[in-house]
Amino acid sequence: MSDVAAVVDDLREESDELDALVGTLEPDRWRGPTPAEGWTVAHQIAHLAWTDEVALLAATEPDRFGDEVAKALAAPEAFVDRAAEALVAAHAPDALLSRWRDGRQRLDKVLRDAPAGTRIPWYGPPMSVASMATARLMETWAHGQDIADALGATRTPTARLRHVARIGVRARNYAYAVRGITAPSEEFRVELRTTEGEVIAYGPESAGQRVTGPLLDFCLLVTQRAHRTDLAVTAEGREADQWLSIAQAFAGPPGPGRLPRAERDGLR
């Protein structure tokens, strides 16, 4: 199996798992708030549907995708929220669910059929097909986590988290760039433990800057789904410590992140 087919298969499985979580929800549960301020369950699915459709446009009509980039540049802090809100306003939950299902199925086919060497334009640098599928998996998992938290559901970590961790590590320099900070020239060592005890490692063993912790916690950190103080991810070295405070696996402006659990509980 090719690398592209393998990651697209994992993207499909991640999407199907989230679909099983929301597919039988009553309409009023779709209106329930999630940890993302101002976003309901419906907004989370709307965002995934919109992003899948934009990814499909980028892969099939790159010239038209340029118009989407222009919209983003015109309102970098608002264009994502506006797109989600527009879909929520236009669709009842069942129609929104159908739109998400249709879009992700069409994107699945386009990614599988893309010629070798294809580069897909995006809001950051152009991506390979495998990288686009990885990015979509990361987003699906991250927004799925918001939904799971809203519904009080606990998800079992899967091997698919390796994709999320990998994109988080590879996006290290991007996290610095979007904040106008010069990235360190030195590679970091990142060692992550799976729930089975396996260690997944990135970077040279001899690196002076090191990050260690559970795979799940690192994924929650780089997708900004939990505050660093609530996670068992540790840094050795000043630059590694700085990175853990700004890490983001997603394209676009720096996210607001999440409040520490104790502070959130105090606001309730």
Side-chain angles (χ1 to χ4, degrees):
M1 182 183 295
S2 71
D3 289 344
V4 170
V7 71
V8 174
D9 283 347
D10 283 348
L11 170 58
R12 177 183 288 179
E13 289 179 11
E14 192 66 41
S15 300
D16 287 347
E17 183 177 292
L18 178 55
D19 196 314
L21 191 60
V22 300
T24 59
L25 288 179
E26 294 297 324
D28 64 323
R29 300 295 300 277
W30 282 74
R31 293 188 288 272
T34 68
E37 186 176 355
W39 279 33
T40 64
V41 171
H43 285 86
Q44 300 285 351
I45 295 299
H47 174 70
L48 291 177
W50 171 77
T51 318
D52 284 343
E53 290 170 8
V54 173
L56 184 65
L57 184 68
T60 57
E61 299 182 70
D63 290 340
R64 284 187 59 206
F65 173 71
D67 295 337
E68 296 299 320
V69 174
K71 293 177 187 176
L73 292 174
E77 304 294 338
F79 80 103
V80 169
D81 288 332
R82 289 173 182 173
E85 183 59 43
L87 286 182
V88 170
H91 297 289
D94 58 345
L96 189 57
L97 182 61
S98 294
R99 181 161 178 165
W100 175 47
R101 287 170 172 169
D102 177 66
R104 73 182 202 245
Q105 288 169 3
R106 288 187 290 133
L107 180 61
D108 181 288
K109 184 177 189 315
V110 166
L111 295 179
R112 291 181 191 279
D113 293 346
T118 294
R119 305 289 294 180
I120 302 174
W122 199 236
Y123 295 101
M127 292 192 281
S128 69
V129 176
S131 291
M132 174 60 80
T134 301
R136 298 306 312 124
L137 190 154
M138 178 272 296
E139 284 249 349
T140 302
W141 179 82
H143 290 281
Q145 185 64 43
D146 284 341
I147 292 172
D149 287 344
L151 299 177
T154 299
R155 302 192 298 174
T156 301
T158 72
R160 297 189 297 271
L161 286 180
R162 296 166 187 260
H163 298 297
V164 180
R166 181 171 179 268
I167 202 170
V169 171
R170 294 187 68 184
R172 187 200 75 168
N173 287 2
Y174 180 80
Y176 285 93
V178 295
R179 291 166 173 81
I181 305 171
T182 300
S185 57
E186 177 188 354
E187 281 192 75
F188 295 173
R189 176 71 170 183
V190 179
E191 295 181 356
L192 307 172
R193 297 185 311 277
T194 69
T195 52
E196 294 78 25
E198 179 186 355
V199 174
I200 303 169
Y202 305 89
E205 249 185 293
S206 60
Q209 305 291 318
R210 307 175 70 85
V211 169
T212 58
L215 173 62
L216 173 60
D217 285 25
F218 181 78
C219 292
L220 290 168
L221 181 104
V222 298
T223 57
Q224 298 186 2
R225 261 50 196 181
H227 193 275
R228 179 182 173 183
T229 58
D230 295 323
L231 302 170
V233 182
T234 60
E236 296 177 32
R238 181 182 60 81
E239 291 176 336
D241 185 70
Q242 180 189 35
W243 177 45
L244 292 190
S245 297
I246 64 172
Q248 67 179 69
F250 48 88
R258 298 286 159 79
L259 294 173
R261 185 179 299 116
E263 191 172 339
R264 294 199 315 269
D265 290 346
L267 293 172
R268 290 173 183 167

